Amino acid sequence: MKKRTAIVILFIALIGAVGGFTFLYADALREREVLRETEEMKPDEPLAPKSDTPSVPQEVPPQRVTIAGVGDNLIHDPIYMEAEQADGSYDFSHLYEHVRDMIEPKDIAIINQESIIGGDEYGPSGYPAFNTPEDMAGYLKAVGFDAVTLANNHILDKGPKAVEHTIAVWETAGLFHSGANRSEAERHEIPIMEKNGVKIALLSYTYGTNGIEPDVPWRTIYLDDKEGIRADIRKAKTESDFVIVAAHWGDENVMEPNEQQRDMAKFFSDEGVDVVLGCHPHVVQPVEWQMNAAGEKTLVIYSMGNYISAMFGLENMLGYTANFDLVKDGVTKRVENVKMIPTVTHFEGHITSYHSACSNFKIYKLADYTDEIAARHGLNVYHGTTLTNRFFQDMFEEAVPAEFR
């Protein structure tokens, strides 16, 4: 009996324990569910309070293009005669070896190719009807030139076929060109270079072509076509950030601008041209700023002189490299860091004509042109003088105002 009573008591206790556990488990489940629902009902974490300090826009650095412009690359007979190799090719590298460091580092370097490269089929020739060997193009590219201007008084020396050929030569060599055309459509296209995000139009015009009439009116463009030039400039201003005009103008061997140069310089400035690069006089001429009615400044470089030639005048030996920067700063633009660096054409031997066999043709920076080198110049005998560095320095300082040198 006692045993049965104990079993009943144990059974009742077991049922109580199970019931208690079940109650506690259910209660825990209810608490977990409430907690989950509470978490879901919580609002999102508040955002960090906004700062009262206004955000500063990040500065965008100005876009800058460094430019070098040089004058007439005028290849007379003695120059290509010295450059000719045994296999019939031409090596012009020696001409530019002392000035390469002035050209190569620039973003864009521009040269006036005064003597046409009309095709080796015509044979090389110098004054008065030039034809420069085709090898010249590759050497200019190797030196660091990027663009060539072609509108000058010798562009028609070998006829229209030679004009088309010279354009093809420059394109094959990888140089940008302006001033000669293969079609009317090409004449109305604006030649635009782009560098460092800046677009630069390069327009090229000449005063004349030595009395040679073009076969078509658009072969090259003359400075007396003001309406055509005005249309070019205005179109260029809508398609580019800067406009450079290469002007072949002026009187040969005269170190002051003539009436046409003054008139056209004002015209270019009035139309909003940024820079004028002048060539043709074969001597250096002044540099100046012009301001138009809209308050826009134009850098006018009247003549950079010869880059290389075998001319006879002492003043023909001096040229300068025009250095300047084109800067685009947001919606504004400017031309700055303007500086002309003088150079000298050197050669040796006794020159009596454009066909004389002289040698050692080179371009030197005037800063490197010592009196010792100058004493060997081929024009010393011709003029009965002794050239010095000071002679060329005085000539340069007389022509170019101090702010530009």
Side-chain angles (χ1 to χ4, degrees):
M1 182 69 180
K2 289 181 180 178
K3 184 177 181 180
R4 183 181 297 175
T5 302
I7 292 170
V8 170
I9 292 171
L10 180 63
F11 180 72
I12 292 169
L14 181 63
I15 291 173
V18 170
F21 176 79
T22 302
F23 177 79
L24 290 173
Y25 179 72
D27 191 56
L29 285 177
R30 281 195 299 272
E31 287 184 6
R32 182 179 295 177
E33 181 66 20
V34 170
L35 182 62
R36 184 182 65 80
E37 290 176 357
T38 304
E39 289 293 332
E40 288 178 353
M41 292 174 63
K42 281 184 180 179
D44 294 338
E45 290 293 328
L47 297 172
K50 291 183 179 180
S51 171
D52 293 333
T53 307
S55 60
V56 179
Q58 194 167 5
E59 265 190 50
V60 178
Q63 296 159 288
R64 181 181 302 272
V65 180
T66 58
I67 306 284
V70 302
D72 302 332
N73 201 51
L74 187 54
I75 309 304
H76 288 100
D77 302 64
I79 299 176
Y80 69 72
M81 287 164 60
E82 182 190 17
E84 187 172 11
Q85 305 298 296
D87 63 358
S89 65
Y90 293 85
D91 184 349
F92 294 105
S93 59
H94 58 284
L95 300 178
Y96 312 105
E97 62 184 355
H98 296 302
V99 290
R100 183 171 184 157
D101 61 346
M102 300 172 66
I103 302 301
E104 199 169 35
K106 298 296 182 179
D107 290 323
I108 296 176
I110 306 168
I111 188 169
N112 174 52
Q113 183 58 39
E114 178 87 0
S115 49
I116 187 172
I117 301 178
D120 289 347
E121 62 187 90
Y122 296 102
S125 59
Y127 182 83
F130 288 88
N131 187 43
T132 295
E134 294 180 29
D135 288 337
M136 173 58 75
Y139 283 102
L140 291 182
K141 179 68 175 178
V143 169
F145 285 102
D146 305 284
V148 57
T149 59
L150 301 176
N152 61 62
N153 55 307
H154 291 290
I155 188 61
L156 301 183
D157 278 3
K158 296 297 181 180
K161 183 180 176 183
V163 175
E164 295 181 357
H165 184 84
T166 198
I167 294 171
V169 167
W170 295 115
E171 289 181 346
T172 300
L175 275 83
F176 185 87
H177 61 85
S178 174
N181 307 293
R182 291 164 292 197
S183 68
E184 187 171 8
E186 190 172 51
R187 181 264 172 268
H188 292 292
E189 292 173 2
I190 302 300
I192 295 176
M193 303 174 282
E194 186 167 359
K195 189 74 175 180
N196 301 338
V198 179
K199 292 182 178 180
I200 304 160
L202 178 61
L203 308 175
S204 180
Y205 307 105
T206 182
Y207 77 94
T209 47
N210 292 343
I212 303 172
E213 292 295 325
D215 60 317
V216 287
W218 39 260
R219 189 65 71 192
T220 192
I221 309 304
Y222 297 91
L223 285 167
D224 59 6
D225 181 15
K226 277 191 174 181
E227 290 310 309
I229 294 172
R230 179 181 283 112
D232 290 344
I233 295 170
R234 293 185 179 183
K235 184 179 180 183
K237 286 172 70 68
T238 67
E239 297 180 2
S240 64
D241 301 304
F242 292 89
V243 179
I244 298 175
V245 167
H248 208 75
W249 57 4
D251 296 323
E252 292 189 5
N253 303 315
V254 177
M255 296 182 69
E256 286 295 325
N258 65 17
E259 185 177 346
Q260 185 193 42
Q261 287 174 279
R262 296 288 187 189
D263 174 69
M264 289 304 299
K266 184 179 185 307
F267 171 81
F268 291 138
S269 179
D270 288 343
E271 290 298 324
V273 169
D274 297 289
V275 179
V276 178
L277 295 175
C279 291
H280 175 65
H282 304 304
V283 295
V284 296
Q285 289 185 345
V287 182
E288 67 184 17
W289 291 105
Q290 289 206 14
M291 183 88 73
N292 64 19
E296 300 167 323
K297 291 173 69 176
T298 300
L299 176 64
V300 180
I301 300 166
Y302 282 104
S303 176
M304 296 174 285
N306 286 336
Y307 198 47
I308 188 77
S309 80
M311 296 183 74
F312 302 157
L314 297 177
E315 66 278 7
N316 301 137
M317 300 299 105
L318 179 67
Y320 58 70
T321 298
N323 294 280
F324 54 91
D325 294 355
L326 303 179
V327 182
K328 181 182 175 185
D329 194 355
V331 296
T332 65
K333 64 177 186 176
R334 60 187 180 272
V335 180
E336 63 182 29
N337 295 335
V338 180
K339 188 174 184 180
M340 310 298 128
I341 307 295
T343 58
V344 176
T345 293
H346 178 84
F347 62 87
E348 298 171 15
H350 183 44
I351 190 167
T352 58
S353 75
Y354 284 126
H355 305 287
S356 298
C358 298
S359 63
N360 205 22
F361 280 90
K362 295 181 187 298
I363 309 167
Y364 284 92
K365 293 188 279 289
L366 181 55
D368 297 337
Y369 196 62
T370 65
D371 288 349
E372 181 182 358
I373 301 171
R376 300 197 299 267
H377 201 293
L379 288 181
N380 283 319
V381 174
Y382 186 84
H383 287 279
T385 187
T386 301
L387 288 170
T388 63
N389 177 284
R390 187 73 251 173
F391 172 84
F392 290 113
Q393 188 65 43
D394 288 345
M395 189 185 302
F396 175 67
E397 291 176 3
E398 182 181 349
V400 178
E403 67 174 299
F404 301 110
R405 58 177 199 258

